[in-house]
Amino acid sequence: MATVGSVASVAFKQQYIPAAKRGPITRLLEDERRLAFCLMLPTVVLLGLFIAYPFFNGILLAVTDTRVGVPGHFVGMDNFVKIWNDDIFHVAVWNTCLYTFVTTVFKLALGLSLALLLNRHFRGKAFIRAFILLPFIIPTVLSTFAWKWMFDPTFSVLNWMLFHAGIIHTRINWLGDPVMAMVSVIIVNVWRGVPFYAISLLAGLQTISPELHEAAAIDGARAWARFRHVTWPLLLPVTLVIVLFSVIQTFADFQLVYVLTGGGPANATQLFATYAYQLGIGTGLLSQGAAISLAIFPILLLVVIVQLVYIRRTETL
Amino acid sequence: MAEIRRRKTLQLSAASALAAGAGGLAGILGSGRAPAYGQTQTMHWLRWADFVPASDQLLKGVIVKECEKALGMKLTVETINANDIQARITAAIQSGSGPDIFMTLNNWPQLYADSCVDVSDVAEDLGKAQGGFYDICKVVGTVGGKWIGVPWCAGGGLVAYRKSWLAEAGATEFPKTWDEYRTVGKNLKAVGRPYGQTAGHTFGDAPGWWYPYLWSWGGKEVEADGKTVVLNTKETVESVKFAVALWKETMDEGGLAWDDTSNNRAFLSGSISATNNGASIYLEAKKKPDSYLTEKGTPMKDDILHAGIPGGAGGQFNLPGPFTNLVMKYSKNQDAAKKFIRWMSSKEVFEQWFVSQQGYTCGPTKVWEEHPVWNIDPILAPFKKIPVTGRLTGYAGAPTQKAAEVQTKYIIVDMYAKAIQGMAPEESVKAAHGELVKIYGA
């Protein structure tokens, strides 16, 4: 009986226990396609509301003659023809390209140098890393106002310092001279953008195995050779993505120039975004403002395509 | 115990609400008015942050209280930087929500004419009661004879100058012609006391100087038809050539980057000897006589005088800045907004604000020229004639939307700025003329 009893108890223990009752949502989400859809939905909604809708609305505006408070009529490509023949627009295109190119080169060079330094071990590393991010954290308008004071034609603290250090004998007209005004906005943009590069590249550097460097060192590679043949090739995909983001942001930059120079003097620092704002908001010509904003699109699209193709190539090598 | 069901609860609630009203729903409907507790009207008035802070304090304090008492309205006075007002107007119009009333500057009402409520009844009544609006206020505030805004006041600039410094440079009174101005300015700059004027992208002081300068040489944007562009003339080219020399010989060359506040700071710090501006420099020096001192340690306010911009072959002018209150079409309080403006612009209420300005702005009608406020401080007295000695942008045409486009694109200002930066004056004028043709000819 005892044997029978033990067999019965084993049978009892092995009895099938039904799973807890699943709710209708759980059952619905068991389908991977549905789950994927639900996971993507918030992003799609956000992108639709804040990217796609303004973008398509911008296209609609650009092909009409809409002014503030006055619904427009379809005018085809008229606004694009107008801006194509607009001398200030030409200046803005040149300025934007120059501004983006120069700032990107400097931000990359300085950001990479900073990242390589921060990747070393030293005391207070965590504090320094956090401190480096400050320019990126402070709201752009706020920090730009501080720079505006530093570049002030009458009260520039930079001029004061340079003068008392014996470096200059007459004041530098930072924002009043067309060349210096562009230099000034570039300086501020680089100051603000370097932390983004530095921290992002630092993250990339930390994914590179130290063993690779050790192996290269054992093989006799010096610091420069290790950087050129080990660090740089492995960092390149990350760098390209960072440059891509940075180019897009810089190309559409507005706040910094608007606060610092308002696009002046005599349009010397006028960019796509500031000119679009001046026409769309200042003058009420919404459709022309939209056309200028859209004119950025093909240029940026080209940049994005070239970079993405290059990134794919480097990843498949 | 009887069970109380949802339907029963709703029935009881509705009955209670009806009973609570004096006379019930029938009473409310019979009176034709909303219940008293629903009548607190709100009014949102957006204005610039005044260069005379005391005026904003008055509006946000005393006037808000008086408004509630007199009109039963809860008034919100919002003040923002003048350079940001247009962005707010555009956003409000396009989204269909925002302040009930915008106080606009210059000829901006012309840009938003289609989005403004017809306020002819209010403007006509106020004009009649106060002796008629100045022409500049009327031109800016009307379209085709219809009032799209109610004139609030008129501002403008005169040259604030250090009388002792100019006297030391050989000018016992402020120069009346450009040649005299240049001669005195050379002497001043030689001793580190240049004139100061902006040629940058800023809404007030830049056009406030360069448009009258152009007119004084006989230059103008268009003919009276408002279409035929006549900027590229011998007079304009001469004005640009002279401006380049004037800039180098007499001006603080940092002015290319100045905004509307820069010349105030430069003057009050003793860096410049003269600048075209509203009365705010003097008012600030007067408010803080112990802070703003001359090199001799005396209050700077006692060394400041005001004069008109020098004249030339074309005459002597200034660019007045009419301020206009616009009631927006999207507002759900349109009638209340008109009622508020009628009250706010009435002599008794407006006077409080006008006095607080101490001469920084003029009234919108001639009666305010006779106000005792002009007798309090003779230094400010020259400002009272600004509305009658000025021209508006777009001259010799009307200050239309196209004139506003020229102004907001800084085409006239940049014509001078480019030449100052080194472009040949003929080329600079030609380029500006071309831009004007695109705008006025469109």
Side-chain angles (χ1 to χ4, degrees):
Chain A
M1 282 300 288
T3 307
V4 173
S6 64
V7 169
S9 68
V10 168
F12 177 75
K13 279 176 188 167
Q14 287 180 342
Q15 199 173 29
Y16 174 72
I17 303 167
K21 199 181 174 187
R22 291 165 301 163
I25 294 175
T26 313
R27 269 182 278 137
L28 207 68
L29 293 181
E30 271 184 352
D31 183 335
E32 278 190 1
R33 281 172 304 174
R34 287 195 189 123
L35 178 66
F37 176 79
C38 289
L39 291 173
M40 280 173 63
L41 191 62
T43 310
V44 170
V45 169
L46 281 174
L47 288 177
L49 274 176
F50 298 112
I51 304 288
Y53 172 72
F55 179 71
F56 288 110
N57 206 16
I59 293 175
L60 282 178
L61 270 177
V63 294
T64 65
D65 56 358
T66 309
R67 288 194 295 114
V68 176
V70 184
H73 303 97
F74 181 75
V75 293
M77 302 298 280
D78 273 12
N79 290 317
F80 293 98
V81 173
K82 269 183 199 164
I83 61 168
W84 186 254
N85 294 317
D86 182 347
D87 292 339
I88 304 174
F89 177 71
H90 297 164
V91 173
V93 173
W94 166 249
N95 286 346
T96 311
C97 293
L98 179 73
Y99 176 71
T100 307
F101 178 74
V102 176
T103 54
T104 304
V105 168
F106 275 95
K107 281 187 282 191
L108 179 59
L110 294 173
L112 184 58
S113 311
L114 203 58
L116 290 168
L117 283 174
L118 291 174
N119 200 32
R120 290 163 177 265
H121 293 288
F122 55 91
R123 284 181 72 177
K125 190 171 68 175
F127 175 75
I128 296 288
R129 281 179 183 175
F131 194 72
I132 291 288
L133 270 176
L134 260 183
F136 198 62
I137 295 166
I138 300 169
T140 309
V141 172
L142 199 66
S143 57
T144 310
F145 263 112
W147 276 101
K148 194 177 179 180
W149 273 96
M150 290 198 275
F151 288 138
D152 189 281
T154 314
F155 307 104
S156 170
V157 68
L158 294 175
N159 280 350
W160 186 88
M161 279 165 52
L162 293 171
F163 182 81
H164 283 88
I167 297 167
I168 59 169
H169 301 290
T170 54
R171 67 180 174 180
I172 299 171
N173 196 357
W174 291 102
L175 302 175
D177 179 83
V179 176
M180 286 312 297
M182 182 52 94
V183 170
S184 303
V185 294
I186 285 172
I187 289 173
V188 182
N189 182 284
V190 170
W191 171 82
R192 195 179 178 279
V194 163
F196 170 71
Y197 273 79
I199 295 298
S200 307
L201 289 171
L202 179 63
L205 283 172
Q206 289 182 338
T207 62
I208 300 172
S209 168
E211 288 167 10
L212 292 171
H213 283 281
E214 286 162 15
I218 292 165
D219 288 347
R222 295 187 175 207
W224 171 246
R226 288 203 301 275
F227 172 76
R228 191 163 178 269
H229 298 292
V230 179
T231 310
W232 183 243
L234 291 169
L235 200 60
L236 192 57
V238 179
T239 308
L240 287 172
V241 173
I242 295 165
V243 169
L244 179 67
F245 286 157
S246 171
V247 165
I248 293 169
Q249 279 184 341
T250 313
F251 224 85
D253 206 354
F254 170 76
Q255 300 174 71
L256 195 154
V257 173
Y258 179 72
V259 172
L260 218 50
T261 64
N267 298 311
T269 55
Q270 197 74 269
L271 304 182
F272 269 111
T274 52
Y275 192 45
Y277 177 87
Q278 191 172 305
L279 278 187
I281 305 298
T283 318
L285 301 170
L286 290 176
S287 50
Q288 280 189 42
I292 290 170
S293 300
L294 276 179
I296 307 174
F297 184 69
I299 304 172
L300 279 184
L301 190 67
L302 191 70
V303 172
V304 169
I305 289 170
V306 168
Q307 285 201 308
L308 287 178
V309 167
Y310 195 71
I311 288 169
R312 182 166 289 185
R313 276 184 57 195
T314 55
E315 281 176 344
T316 51
L317 278 175
Chain B
M1 191 174 161
E3 191 182 357
I4 298 177
R5 291 182 178 277
R6 189 174 65 92
R7 184 175 296 272
K8 186 75 178 167
T9 310
L10 287 174
Q11 283 170 351
L12 283 170
S13 305
S16 308
L18 282 174
L25 183 60
I28 294 167
L29 292 173
S31 71
R33 300 176 62 183
Y37 51 78
Q39 278 186 339
T40 306
Q41 189 86 53
T42 56
M43 189 54 51
H44 186 177
W45 186 18
L46 188 136
R47 302 166 42 83
W48 76 344
D50 208 305
F51 278 75
V52 185
S55 295
D56 282 347
Q57 285 166 16
L58 175 90
L59 290 176
K60 290 176 179 176
V62 174
I63 296 296
V64 165
K65 283 179 193 156
E66 286 186 9
C67 178
E68 187 147 21
K69 206 170 159 189
L71 304 174
M73 283 182 200
K74 191 173 170 6
L75 174 66
T76 303
V77 180
E78 186 185 353
T79 52
I80 63 171
N81 186 304
N83 275 323
D84 299 327
I85 293 178
Q86 284 189 288
R88 282 293 296 274
I89 298 177
T90 302
I93 291 172
Q94 292 304 116
S95 65
S97 68
D100 301 295
I101 303 166
F102 275 102
M103 189 196 76
T104 55
L105 285 72
N106 304 325
N107 57 353
W108 296 353
Q110 300 291 316
L111 289 174
Y112 313 114
D114 292 293
S115 306
C116 301
V117 172
D118 182 349
V119 287
S120 299
D121 50 344
V122 180
E124 293 290 351
D125 290 350
L126 285 168
K128 270 181 207 160
Q130 298 180 23
F133 290 113
Y134 287 119
D135 284 345
I136 54 159
C137 296
K138 189 172 179 180
V139 168
V140 163
T142 55
V143 170
K146 183 181 87 174
W147 286 92
I148 53 169
V150 181
W152 169 251
C153 69
L158 290 175
V159 181
Y161 67 96
R162 294 284 296 274
K163 64 181 173 189
S164 66
W165 286 6
L166 262 75
E168 285 171 31
T172 48
E173 61 177 12
F174 193 75
K176 287 192 167 52
T177 67
W178 288 116
D179 286 332
E180 287 171 29
Y181 182 77
R182 184 173 171 181
T183 307
V184 175
K186 274 186 198 173
N187 297 338
L188 284 163
K189 193 167 181 177
V191 292
R193 296 167 177 174
Y195 299 141
Q197 214 59 60
T198 177
H201 283 191
T202 190
F203 75 97
D205 290 341
W209 172 262
W210 293 109
Y211 275 82
Y213 176 82
L214 169 70
W215 297 328
S216 73
W217 284 82
K220 56 187 176 184
E221 289 171 69
V222 284
E223 293 290 8
D225 62 8
K227 290 177 187 165
T228 316
V229 177
V230 287
L231 184 67
N232 192 358
T233 59
K234 192 180 151 212
E235 289 80 10
T236 308
V237 173
E238 286 305 312
S239 82
V240 176
K241 284 179 181 169
F242 192 88
V244 175
L246 200 61
W247 193 267
K248 288 187 176 134
E249 293 169 8
T250 72
M251 299 276 187
D252 182 326
E253 291 173 49
L256 278 162
W258 281 2
D259 62 23
D260 273 73
T261 61
S262 305
N263 60 338
N264 293 43
R265 288 198 300 273
F267 191 100
L268 290 167
S269 67
S271 302
I272 56 171
S273 54
T275 186
N276 190 58
N277 201 61
S280 52
I281 289 174
Y282 174 70
L283 292 174
E284 180 70 6
K286 194 176 165 184
K287 195 168 89 180
K288 297 174 186 167
D290 298 329
S291 302
Y292 300 112
L293 303 169
T294 67
E295 67 281 7
K296 291 165 194 154
T298 56
M300 189 185 280
K301 73 176 179 63
D302 298 331
D303 194 32
I304 299 175
L305 286 179
H306 293 106
I309 295 172
Q316 186 180 17
F317 304 98
N318 64 60
L319 175 66
F323 290 71
T324 314
N325 282 317
L326 308 180
V327 178
M328 309 313 291
K329 269 186 185 165
Y330 61 72
S331 167
K332 292 181 174 66
N333 300 325
Q334 291 175 16
D335 288 337
K338 284 161 87 171
K339 192 175 162 190
F340 167 74
I341 291 178
R342 195 183 280 277
W343 174 79
M344 189 68 225
S345 294
S346 65
K347 268 188 184 174
E348 299 72 27
V349 184
F350 179 79
E351 187 181 22
Q352 296 179 55
W353 179 84
F354 182 66
V355 170
S356 77
Q357 289 273 288
Q358 301 174 62
Y360 181 67
T361 51
C362 307
T365 66
K366 281 191 176 177
V367 294
W368 298 100
E369 284 179 32
E370 310 306 323
H371 195 277
V373 79
W374 297 113
N375 303 327
I376 295 171
D377 191 340
I379 305 298
L380 293 168
F383 282 93
K384 76 174 178 182
K385 287 290 178 191
I386 280 181
V388 289
T389 55
R391 280 178 178 171
L392 294 171
T393 58
Y395 183 82
T400 56
Q401 184 261 336
K402 290 181 188 301
E405 185 178 342
V406 174
Q407 188 176 347
T408 49
K409 278 184 167 177
Y410 297 101
I411 292 171
I412 300 297
V413 174
D414 283 351
M415 176 176 76
Y416 291 105
K418 281 178 188 169
I420 289 165
Q421 287 169 4
M423 185 184 267
E426 292 81 0
E427 286 303 308
S428 170
V429 174
K430 197 176 156 191
H433 182 96
E435 289 297 320
L436 260 63
V437 168
K438 284 175 203 163
I439 293 168
Y440 284 107

